[in-house]
Amino acid sequence: MRNTTIMINQAYQDNYQQLLTHDVYALRVREKHLALLPVIQALHQHHKAHSPAYSRLIKQHADDPATLEEMPFLAVRLFKQFALRSVPEDEVFRVLQSSGTSGQTPAKVFLDKATSARQSKALVKIMQNFIGKQRLPMLVIDAPSTVKSGALSARAAGIQGMAFFGRQTVFALNDDMSLNMEALESFQNAYGDQSVLVFGFTFMVWAYFLEALQAQRKSLSLSKGVLVHSGGWKKLVEKQVDNVSFKSAVSRLTGISRVHNFYGMAEQVGTVFVECEQGHLHVPVMAELIVRDPYTLEVCKTGEQGLLQVISAIPTSYPGFSLLTEDLGRVLGQDDCPCGRSGKYFEVLRRLPKTEVRGCSDTQVSP
Ligand SMILES: [Zn+2]
């Protein structure tokens, strides 16, 4: 038994290292699947051997899925309901909690050192493609207390992950979430004429930064800056803010024209899907995105709307490498985005309303 385990891990490690030798957006979909499939197959075997819960959940599934589309997937909400681990408890070195909205249990994601290291490395490879290799003066659209609180929230983890790309980090908000105008002005005076990195969660950027600047009739001039933001549009849809009006407010109030949204989740930290200059979310080499019909779970064609399934080559400490999300979206194309990046590109449309989710969550694995 022990030998089998070592062999599985070795297959995974060799294939994963091989995958990382490619540039993040260099492979066309067909080539990418050839490189990614053995990694995902090894992960499937690994979690079957080490997570009894995973093994039970996928029991009815074909033993050796031959394509990424045939790979079983777990409903992402299972991580809210169960503690899913594929390593012994004493190897867990960090438990990541997703930001559950009020009344919801947050998801718990168990990380060991190897998974966590892979996450950081993947995030670096992906983000460097958009913001370059050098560390930039960084403005975080959040309060310092967010990263100081004890339990590691997804927001704190996101800020810590992005902090790798920054130096001389300044927080834009006070602990009561009001604008720290003094800090903003001194940041602008010091770095206003250079490349800077601005990072925050989408709703925070809108409600506590852009709206606050507007209300105080203030603006900044960070014309060489790049804004990276993430975290879902749900609250902004309620305010009728879409990506276009978001970007135009960013440009008007901060002078920043380079804005990259990214789609990602606490259950798959590291493999983020970043928006290119054309406004398309791109799939990196160590991940894949599949769109499925919410009712039949069949794979949708390009352009058809469905539930997003996300596949990540990273997690070995918890069985979250193939997840069916509650987000609706569609694939826009593959290998031909005018930005020059290969692979699939897609958009996220909205989250499935709660009532619909209930029906869907009965299906925890593919039929
Ligand atoms: Zn593109």
Side-chain angles (χ1 to χ4, degrees):
M1 187 61 203
R2 185 140 193 104
N3 280 340
T4 326
T5 307
I6 291 163
M7 268 167 57
I8 290 164
N9 287 336
Q10 199 59 49
Y12 168 75
Q13 278 165 24
D14 292 348
N15 285 306
Y16 187 73
Q17 286 314 315
Q18 181 60 30
L19 195 63
L20 288 192
T21 61
H22 301 287
D23 282 342
V24 188
Y25 302 109
L27 297 188
R28 300 173 72 83
V29 169
R30 280 181 63 145
E31 303 161 331
K32 203 266 278 285
H33 280 207
L34 287 177
L36 184 60
L37 181 63
V39 181
I40 301 302
Q41 283 171 327
L43 276 179
H44 171 65
Q45 299 299 342
H46 164 82
H47 291 295
K48 248 172 65 171
H50 298 283
S51 164
Y54 180 75
S55 179
R56 272 199 304 279
L57 283 162
I58 55 112
K59 202 162 57 192
Q60 265 124 39
H61 209 88
D63 206 36
D64 216 353
T67 64
L68 291 179
E69 286 80 8
E70 287 172 24
M71 208 43 79
F73 43 83
L74 303 185
V76 75
R77 61 170 41 217
L78 286 177
F79 288 83
K80 294 192 169 79
Q81 292 160 341
F82 303 102
L84 298 171
R85 261 191 294 115
S86 306
V87 287
E89 206 159 1
D90 60 1
E91 282 180 32
V92 172
F93 103 111
R94 176 176 269 188
V95 182
L96 195 58
Q97 304 227 3
S98 77
S99 48
T101 38
S102 53
Q104 264 187 338
T105 340
K108 275 192 178 164
V109 183
F110 297 91
L111 303 178
D112 64 356
K113 285 200 170 140
T115 300
S116 176
R118 256 180 254 121
Q119 290 179 337
S120 311
K121 207 170 162 187
L123 185 69
V124 167
K125 284 193 74 140
I126 294 168
M127 293 309 307
Q128 279 181 343
N129 190 278
F130 295 89
I131 58 182
K133 283 197 170 167
Q134 87 232 65
R135 296 177 80 136
L136 302 172
M138 183 173 176
L139 181 65
V140 175
I141 312 300
D142 215 311
S145 59
T146 303
V147 290
K148 283 183 198 140
S149 52
L152 193 61
S153 68
R155 229 164 83 202
I159 293 168
Q160 283 181 6
M162 287 302 294
F164 182 86
F165 304 95
R167 57 184 170 89
Q168 282 99 23
T169 301
V170 168
F171 285 84
L173 308 182
N174 298 305
D175 284 339
D176 65 359
M177 295 295 156
S178 62
L179 273 187
N180 184 343
M181 255 346 272
E182 206 177 313
L184 286 170
E185 273 159 12
S186 71
F187 185 83
Q188 172 180 266
N189 292 341
Y191 310 114
D193 56 350
Q194 326 173 9
S195 298
V196 294
L197 172 62
V198 181
F199 173 71
F201 285 84
T202 310
F203 183 73
M204 304 291 298
V205 173
W206 181 263
Y208 298 99
F209 184 56
L210 299 174
E211 282 195 334
L213 282 171
Q214 171 90 34
Q216 297 182 27
R217 297 177 194 282
K218 303 260 188 192
S219 65
L220 299 169
S221 172
L222 301 168
S223 59
K224 291 183 182 161
V226 51
L227 169 66
V228 175
H229 69 103
S230 177
W233 290 91
K234 193 175 164 235
K235 286 183 187 161
L236 291 187
V237 171
E238 286 161 14
K239 289 176 170 252
Q240 298 189 312
V241 180
D242 60 11
N243 201 1
V244 173
S245 44
F246 185 90
K247 281 182 178 170
S248 102
V250 171
S251 164
R252 184 163 45 84
L253 293 163
T254 71
I256 297 175
S257 57
R258 289 170 61 203
V259 180
H260 296 285
N261 178 223
F262 71 79
Y263 174 68
M265 57 205 70
E267 293 81 0
Q268 281 187 358
V269 170
T271 42
V272 291
F273 305 94
V274 186
E275 175 193 15
C276 74
E277 299 74 10
Q278 306 288 325
H280 301 150
L281 297 168
H282 277 269
V283 181
V285 70
M286 57 295 259
E288 189 50 293
L289 178 111
I290 294 169
V291 179
R292 292 189 182 270
D293 183 294
Y295 303 102
T296 64
L297 297 178
E298 293 294 318
V299 178
C300 293
K301 294 195 188 71
T302 297
E304 284 178 359
Q305 190 176 319
L307 281 176
L308 303 182
Q309 177 196 349
V310 287
I311 292 178
S312 169
I314 290 178
T316 47
S317 58
Y318 64 95
F321 67 100
S322 175
L323 299 173
L324 190 66
T325 71
E326 292 165 4
D327 296 321
L328 288 169
R330 62 181 166 192
V331 172
L332 296 169
Q334 62 182 51
D335 303 330
D336 61 359
C337 182
C339 77
R341 292 177 182 87
S342 288
K344 281 189 201 171
Y345 54 96
F346 68 103
E347 66 175 344
V348 181
L349 295 161
R350 62 186 171 94
R351 178 152 289 200
L352 210 61
K354 269 215 172 76
T355 45
E356 290 179 65
V357 171
R358 198 160 295 139
C360 260
S361 67
D362 294 339
T363 314
Q364 291 169 344
V365 290
S366 59

